[in-house]
Amino acid sequence: MYQQVKSIERVEAGIRLHWQDGKSTDFSGTFLRKRCPCAVCRPTAGHGEPKPIPNLNYQIKAAHPVGWYALQFVFSDGHDTGIYTYDYLWELARGEGSLS
Ligand SMILES: [Zn+2]
């Protein structure tokens, strides 16, 4: 476990996650939708290329906490099967996301 998400804020670009150490990260719906970790989008469980996702703009309709370890997002295309663990989100934040 790297970090816990303390709170979630809705921002114009998508959502802002506030981490326990005081940092925050903005993610757009499109960014997260394209990195959906679910079995439909990643049929080979992390091996090989993820399934191409149509190049559209995706909004986040809702974000539901899953236990104390993950978030489930509902996207504007209705897709809601991705469970984004805090570990995964933190890795995205440190990598391609914009950590501030
Ligand atoms: Zn998915």
Side-chain angles (χ1 to χ4, degrees):
M1 178 66 71
Y2 302 107
Q3 291 264 359
Q4 296 276 347
V5 174
K6 247 176 51 185
S7 62
I8 309 165
E9 188 186 341
R10 196 168 274 281
V11 293
E12 200 179 328
I15 53 160
R16 180 169 296 159
L17 302 184
H18 293 276
W19 303 96
Q20 67 185 43
D21 70 352
K23 292 186 169 67
S24 65
T25 311
D26 290 359
F27 288 115
S28 73
T30 303
F31 179 90
L32 290 174
R33 178 67 184 87
K34 284 177 175 294
R35 287 157 185 80
C36 179
C38 86
V40 176
C41 300
R42 311 249 169 177
T44 49
H47 302 291
E49 287 297 305
K51 198 167 134 188
I53 293 164
N55 218 0
L56 302 167
N57 281 322
Y58 297 95
Q59 266 82 54
I60 297 166
K61 294 288 184 196
H64 304 295
V66 178
W68 294 100
Y69 71 94
L71 293 173
Q72 177 200 5
F73 296 111
V74 181
F75 294 99
S76 48
D77 63 341
H79 196 67
D80 65 354
T81 47
I83 303 293
Y84 294 67
T85 63
Y86 292 165
D87 284 4
Y88 182 55
L89 289 165
W90 178 242
E91 290 209 337
L92 290 178
R94 290 191 311 169
E96 301 161 80
S98 54
L99 193 61
S100 59

